[in-house]
Every structure is written in C-alpha cells, then in structure tokens.
Amino acid sequence: MNRPYILRCSSTFAKENLLVGGGVLEVAEERRVRGAVERHYRLRQDRAVIGSEVVRTLTAEDHWQACATAMTALLAEFTTYLDRGRADPVADRVGYRQHALWLSPAELEELIGEMRAAIAP
C-alpha cells in the first residue's frame, strides 16, 4: 500500500530531506555562504498532491494529521502576511470565512473545476 508519509520528524533538516527525497521540493538555487551551502527550494506542484486512491486508504488519524498540517501551513502564511508590517486585509481582500454550501454532486464537481481553473497553474 502506497500511503503518504506524515512528517513526524524532530528537525526541519529531516523534513527538508524527506520532501526533497520524495520529489515534492526541488532545489531552485544553491550558493555558498561562508563555507556553508544555502539552498532555496521550490514546490513541485505536480508532486504536492495526494491522489484520491491514496486518500481512500488513510486512517482517521492520518486525516487528522494531514488537516492539522494544512492548517498549520495556512496559519504560517497568514502570520507572514501580517508580520510584513504593511498588511491591509481590507485593501488586500484577505478574509477568513466558513460557508455551508448545499450542492448536488454535479454542482460540486462544477464548483471544484472552476476553483481549480482559477487557482491552479
């Protein structure tokens, strides 16, 4: 069974190595800084998706861990935005809301398709 590995490493370095080794991150730039190697990474969009066939095999704990990881990333990005010093959520149209949608399966598929077309490369 090909299950995604939920990162439970104690160091950023170990997580970085797992993501690079798994092909999720790739080195975008590398340079020497005072004898050390500084690397800048980019996300490989084509490798950063867990397919539905794998999602079906996840346990409840795996789903909880994946959701917690996604929310942690979202909070980190929002914190970075706010810490810029010039954040203006109203002008930047930044918001956080939760809405309930009552859609048929066909309507849901249409909505997901439109959202992917708008935000996916």
Side-chain angles (χ1 to χ4, degrees):
M1 185 177 331
N2 188 14
R3 295 178 119 190
Y5 179 76
I6 305 297
L7 295 177
R8 292 186 181 109
C9 304
S10 60
S11 74
T12 301
F13 181 73
K15 291 175 185 166
E16 175 186 303
N17 282 339
L18 283 171
L19 293 169
V20 170
V24 176
L25 292 179
E26 64 185 1
V27 177
E29 181 184 338
E30 194 173 83
R31 66 183 182 139
R32 286 221 169 262
V33 177
R34 289 184 241 152
V37 177
E38 180 181 276
R39 292 184 182 94
H40 294 247
Y41 297 94
R42 79 174 132 246
L43 179 67
R44 289 193 49 198
Q45 295 286 343
D46 62 317
R47 301 294 305 269
V49 176
I50 299 172
S52 58
E53 66 282 349
V54 174
V55 172
R56 283 187 191 97
T57 69
L58 299 178
T59 66
E61 175 64 24
D62 292 336
H63 283 292
W64 187 93
Q65 186 70 36
C67 182
T69 301
M71 293 302 102
T72 299
L74 181 63
L75 286 170
E77 289 179 18
F78 192 65
T79 298
T80 299
Y81 165 76
L82 292 174
D83 288 347
R84 292 185 327 189
R86 61 186 190 285
D88 185 347
V90 174
D92 296 337
R93 311 263 317 154
V94 173
Y96 32 89
R97 292 184 178 96
Q98 182 174 342
H99 297 279
L101 301 174
W102 299 97
L103 304 173
S104 69
E107 291 169 329
L108 178 59
E109 286 302 315
E110 182 181 354
L111 175 64
I112 291 170
E114 289 173 1
M115 291 177 68
R116 284 183 178 154
I119 62 176

